[in-house]
Amino acid sequence: MFMASLNSSNHDQQEEDPGTDLQYNHQIIPEPSREGFISAVSNATHMRQLLTRCAELISRSDFSAAHRLVSILSGNSSPYGDSVERLVHQFAKALSLRLKNCCYAAAAAATTTTSAASASIIMASTPTTAAATALSNDRNNVDMTEPEEHLQSCYLSLNQITPFVRFSHLTANQAILEAIDEGQKAIHILDFDIMNGLQWPPLMQALAERSYPPPMLRITATGHDLNILHKTGDRLLKFAQSLGLRFQFHPLLLFGNSNDVPAFPPALALLPEEALAVNCVLYLHRLLRDDSRGLRLFLHKIKALNPKVVTIAEREANHNHPLFMQRFVEALDHYTAVFDSLEATLPPNSRERVTVEQVWFGREIMDIVAAEGNNRRERHERYESWEVMLRSSGFSNVPLSPFALSQAKLLLRLHYPSEGYQLQIRNDSLFLGWRNRALFSVSSWQ
């Protein structure tokens, strides 16, 4: 149903935002020689060992040795090198911040719970006085958040240079279309964290083309910036008008960066003959904390709305493990595959690649590695964990159709031509990965 829109998706996006008119020529980077390949693998293995060793030193509170190793890693990495150097650069920054936080926590604990003599022993295991002073001066300059508009812009680049977001949108849209009857007179979509609204023009076009008159479409969309939400609604309204599609948009502001369960507004009350679809693309993991009570409450509220379909897209990784080292190794494996995919499909001088690696993925790595407790937001889980939580909340899995798989294959062939990207249907859900590692999953529930 989206075959025609695949070829025009870049054009649609450009119409929505004048800042996205850059064209990207994805290319397959030539394979290195056998000797060069062996050398690259050896270097990647060595750097991985150093990163893991550094994380272990921090876990054991050997801060002085960790500080020395962070300096070595930082000096042997670059945001503009090959995929290994770029990956090491991001993880070294995250480890540096975690080291700082641990040093301050140790110093604070020594000050409040031990004698002055004990405090000096603890501080002796931290970096030198000069280094500690430098860390103290830098600490207030570290910001793990990005301005909302900067993230929105980076999200547009992520959507164009990688298939991950578009794969999630395309597959979720197909699940929504298949769950809602063609004769449905009104459709209400509840979209959690709509971002730029890039997901919805292809769906709106499909709705306008598959029945006449087309159904009334309402979208209730959540976000963190009311101004951006209104701009997104205005763009979608103009697009709907160009299609002759009746359309309403209701913004729902989520305050701050809290992962509290959002309040459900009165606009969610279903109108007569209106079918509800709930869309959670890269959202549910933000509701997790050290336990799943908030997420389960959210799922029970969604279930009570009796939606026709709930679409879920998430990272295929366990970044929510309570033990730091388990989380760290999992993140290292996941982002190694992500950075390798960018290396294979984009030139090294791509500004958009650098921005996505540093701002989008770098922010995620920083959160997973450096943050703890309720400050940690990127709590990705594997599909099996989501399946358990959804089934325990009364949901059942709706199999994705073979057509959804065909569309995803066409998306990759047309816009991201690389043999490295792989698709797989498993547990009636669709997985996108790089080489032999699944990176994203999309599933449909009722």
Side-chain angles (χ1 to χ4, degrees):
M1 293 182 184
F2 287 121
M3 291 296 187
S5 67
L6 283 174
N7 288 312
S8 62
S9 56
N10 279 341
H11 176 68
D12 293 340
Q13 182 172 322
Q14 292 162 16
E15 289 183 345
E16 292 170 29
D17 193 321
T20 63
D21 58 355
L22 295 175
Q23 297 297 317
Y24 298 89
N25 295 317
H26 291 264
Q27 57 179 297
I28 306 302
I29 308 301
E31 292 290 335
S33 64
R34 183 175 183 275
E35 294 77 10
F37 177 76
I38 293 174
S39 175
V41 170
S42 176
N43 180 59
T45 301
H46 179 59
M47 298 308 290
R48 177 189 174 87
Q49 291 171 342
L50 290 180
L51 286 169
T52 305
R53 175 61 175 166
C54 185
E56 290 172 343
L57 290 171
I58 296 174
S59 294
R60 297 206 306 261
S61 299
D62 190 347
F63 300 140
S64 183
H67 178 70
R68 292 194 296 271
L69 193 47
V70 164
S71 298
I72 293 173
L73 289 166
S74 299
N76 287 273
S77 64
S78 167
Y80 309 105
D82 61 22
S83 63
V84 174
E85 291 178 291
R86 295 176 187 224
L87 183 78
V88 172
H89 177 76
Q90 299 302 329
F91 272 87
K93 285 202 306 181
L95 285 169
S96 177
L97 179 57
R98 184 175 183 88
L99 175 60
K100 295 174 187 179
N101 292 340
C102 290
C103 287
Y104 295 124
T111 301
T112 57
T113 63
T114 67
S115 64
S118 298
S120 64
I121 294 175
I122 292 179
M123 291 305 294
S125 67
T126 65
T128 63
T129 302
T133 302
L135 294 180
S136 179
N137 291 337
D138 288 343
R139 190 186 189 204
N140 292 331
N141 295 326
V142 176
D143 187 0
M144 293 175 60
T145 64
E146 290 284 344
E148 187 69 16
E149 289 188 358
H150 194 187
L151 286 178
Q152 295 280 340
S153 175
C154 187
Y155 186 77
L156 292 173
S157 297
L158 176 71
N159 181 67
Q160 285 203 333
I161 70 173
T162 75
F164 307 130
V165 174
R166 294 174 72 181
F167 158 76
S168 301
H169 289 170
L170 186 74
T171 308
N173 284 353
Q174 184 61 34
I176 292 172
L177 278 176
E178 293 177 2
I180 297 177
D181 296 334
E182 287 192 19
Q184 187 71 46
K185 295 183 178 180
I187 301 171
H188 189 173
I189 295 174
L190 173 56
D191 185 14
F192 285 94
D193 205 0
I194 191 171
M195 298 296 288
N196 302 80
L198 298 177
Q199 178 172 352
W200 303 120
L203 178 71
M204 296 162 75
Q205 185 174 347
L207 290 173
E209 293 174 353
R210 81 170 184 173
S211 63
Y212 185 84
M216 165 71 186
L217 177 63
R218 284 204 299 157
I219 295 180
T220 297
T222 74
H224 296 283
D225 187 306
L226 191 58
N227 183 49
I228 291 177
L229 281 172
H230 282 308
K231 289 181 179 178
T232 297
D234 291 342
R235 286 196 303 270
L236 292 177
L237 177 60
K238 290 179 181 178
F239 188 76
Q241 290 172 339
S242 72
L243 299 173
L245 188 70
R246 292 170 296 155
F247 179 75
Q248 292 180 8
F249 185 85
H250 305 281
L252 173 59
L253 189 63
L254 298 180
F255 294 98
N257 291 320
S258 170
N259 53 4
D260 290 334
V261 178
F264 284 58
L268 280 181
L270 292 181
L271 301 176
E273 301 181 326
E274 188 175 55
L276 175 66
V278 178
N279 187 65
C280 299
V281 170
L282 308 181
Y283 178 77
L284 287 186
H285 66 271
R286 301 182 194 175
L287 301 180
L288 286 171
R289 292 191 177 180
D290 292 334
D291 58 54
S292 60
R293 286 179 297 178
L295 174 63
R296 292 183 186 277
L297 176 59
F298 173 83
L299 292 176
H300 283 298
K301 286 186 175 183
I302 293 296
K303 183 65 177 175
L305 296 172
N306 194 29
K308 288 282 188 180
V309 63
V310 178
T311 49
I312 295 173
E314 282 292 342
R315 295 296 182 84
E316 191 60 13
N318 182 9
H319 297 153
N320 194 35
H321 200 285
L323 298 180
F324 165 67
M325 282 307 302
Q326 295 285 345
R327 212 163 63 234
F328 180 85
V329 172
E330 181 80 9
L332 194 54
D333 289 339
H334 179 85
Y335 289 101
T336 294
V338 171
F339 277 55
D340 284 350
S341 72
L342 295 173
E343 175 91 348
T345 56
L346 291 164
N349 61 349
S350 167
R351 290 177 300 172
E352 292 72 32
R353 173 186 170 186
V354 172
T355 299
V356 166
E357 288 172 339
Q358 293 192 46
V359 176
W360 194 269
F361 294 127
R363 176 182 56 91
E364 293 179 348
I365 292 169
M366 188 73 74
D367 182 278
I368 295 166
V369 173
E372 283 294 347
N374 289 338
N375 292 325
R376 187 159 53 85
R377 300 179 67 241
E378 302 297 338
R379 296 173 175 265
H380 309 126
E381 295 268 11
R382 294 188 182 277
Y383 170 85
E384 289 75 14
S385 297
W386 298 118
E387 182 181 31
V388 170
M389 284 184 275
L390 285 157
R391 291 191 184 281
S392 66
S393 298
F395 290 94
S396 58
N397 183 248
V398 179
L400 293 173
S401 69
F403 190 70
L405 176 61
S406 298
Q407 285 190 136
K409 288 181 178 179
L410 182 62
L411 171 72
L412 295 179
R413 187 165 67 249
L414 290 179
H415 299 290
Y416 309 95
S418 172
E419 294 181 357
Y421 288 118
Q422 297 179 351
L423 291 163
Q424 178 187 19
I425 287 186
R426 176 161 48 92
N427 297 327
D428 294 323
S429 304
L430 192 52
F431 294 76
L432 171 63
W434 178 256
R435 303 301 182 191
N436 296 317
R437 185 176 186 86
L439 297 176
F440 286 77
S441 67
V442 181
S443 56
S444 178
W445 301 83
Q446 198 173 47

